[in-house]
Amino acid sequence: MEQYRGLSAIYDLLMTGVDYEEWGDYVLALVERHGGVPFRRALDLACGTGNTTLALARRGFRMYGLDLSSEMLTAAAEKAVKEGLPVDFLQGDMRSFTLREPVGMAVAFQDGLNYLLSAEEFLRTMQCVARVLLPGGLFIFDINMVEKLPAAGGQACVEQEEFTLIYSTSFVSGSVWEITVTGFVPAGGGLWRRFRETHRERIISDGEVRGALKAAGLTLLGKYAAFTFTPPDGTARRVFYVALKEG
């Protein structure tokens, strides 16, 4: 897993502007709006350094966090131990995972599903989620509207005391947006370590989402512009979905 090997060390610094407590409150509001969940045990897919995972754990959920990156999971586990929160962090692939016990809710945020670069991978993920959900369980996830990113691409540089990052972005096909990150982080003794990573996110249409949910046996309950209870219009940059496992 090359993605996030370099960024893992500074990921939380990059995300300091994100209010994860707001995300936790919004998830709870969506759960309440759609009738609750059968059990307060939940799974956070593509959990990264565990910021959303821990926000939900603070709200009474017994959490699992799943991610491909061992570096990100190490950072997540250290934060959970520091707070004394009972979270199980697991290294795994959201396209082919299982859990030792079912959950009442699954979530996937911060563009995690956009990293699935084919409709087949997206469907396989929906099927895995459906298998681990209890009847009456909810799957709450977001989709980044990648098609609204600048088509021409470009470059940018971010310099802080702890790191320097250079971004280069472009659409590599009609549906995949690519960002190459070159970073420099302190390595001790006045030296800096250089890394380079390439990340790709795919445009995922509403029709694909609905089709995959139906094929996986999940029922769409709601679709909202981020952090609202309003259906998204053409300006929405992030869309939240809520789906139910019947039974």
Side-chain angles (χ1 to χ4, degrees):
M1 173 74 179
E2 295 182 1
Q3 295 165 336
Y4 290 109
R5 279 184 178 164
L7 280 177
S8 61
I10 58 172
Y11 181 81
D12 286 337
L13 292 173
L14 290 172
M15 303 299 282
T16 53
V18 178
D19 187 346
Y20 290 101
E21 297 307 307
E22 179 186 16
W23 284 71
D25 290 341
Y26 183 56
V27 170
L28 287 189
L30 289 172
V31 169
E32 182 178 349
R33 184 180 181 87
H34 291 286
V37 293
F39 195 77
R40 290 180 75 87
R41 184 168 57 230
L43 166 67
D44 185 9
L45 290 173
C47 66
T49 60
N51 294 312
T52 305
T53 323
L54 297 179
L56 292 173
R58 294 184 200 108
R59 286 157 176 78
F61 283 91
R62 178 65 174 85
M63 294 299 300
Y64 287 99
L66 182 83
D67 203 277
L68 269 176
S69 169
S70 60
E71 291 86 356
M72 299 284 269
L73 290 171
T74 296
E78 289 174 353
K79 289 189 287 188
V81 169
K82 185 176 181 180
E83 290 195 45
L85 293 171
V87 179
D88 288 330
F89 288 104
L90 310 171
Q91 186 172 14
D93 189 328
M94 66 176 125
R95 298 164 294 188
S96 59
F97 72 91
T98 59
L99 293 178
R100 65 172 179 263
E101 57 186 352
V103 294
M105 180 177 74
V107 300
F109 299 135
Q110 299 289 339
D111 307 5
L113 295 179
N114 289 95
Y115 275 74
L116 299 169
L117 296 182
S118 72
E120 178 186 359
E121 292 183 345
F122 189 80
L123 173 58
R124 285 163 51 196
T125 300
M126 298 296 110
Q127 291 170 331
C128 285
V129 170
R131 282 194 289 268
V132 301
L133 277 177
L134 288 164
L138 296 179
F139 183 29
I140 303 174
F141 59 94
D142 70 6
I143 297 293
N144 182 18
M145 299 292 101
V146 175
E147 62 270 27
K148 298 185 184 301
L149 294 169
Q155 291 187 331
C157 180
V158 178
E159 292 186 81
Q160 295 190 17
E161 182 178 349
E162 301 92 343
F163 61 85
T164 297
L165 293 179
I166 302 169
Y167 298 91
S168 177
T169 66
S170 65
F171 274 92
V172 295
S173 72
S175 63
V176 177
W177 181 73
E178 180 179 278
I179 176 169
T180 299
V181 182
T182 302
F184 299 87
V185 295
L191 300 176
W192 291 74
R193 177 175 63 86
R194 175 182 178 272
F195 68 87
R196 175 172 288 181
E197 299 178 358
T198 298
H199 298 253
R200 296 181 179 90
E201 293 192 25
R202 183 172 65 93
I203 296 172
I204 300 175
S205 70
D206 181 66
E208 179 180 338
V209 173
R210 291 172 182 269
L213 288 174
K214 182 177 181 179
L218 298 171
T219 302
L220 179 63
L221 298 182
K223 175 186 175 184
Y224 307 102
F227 306 110
T228 75
F229 301 113
T230 305
D233 58 21
T235 65
R237 299 294 298 270
R238 184 179 302 278
V239 174
F240 279 74
Y241 288 85
V242 181
L244 169 73
K245 181 174 179 178
E246 301 273 9

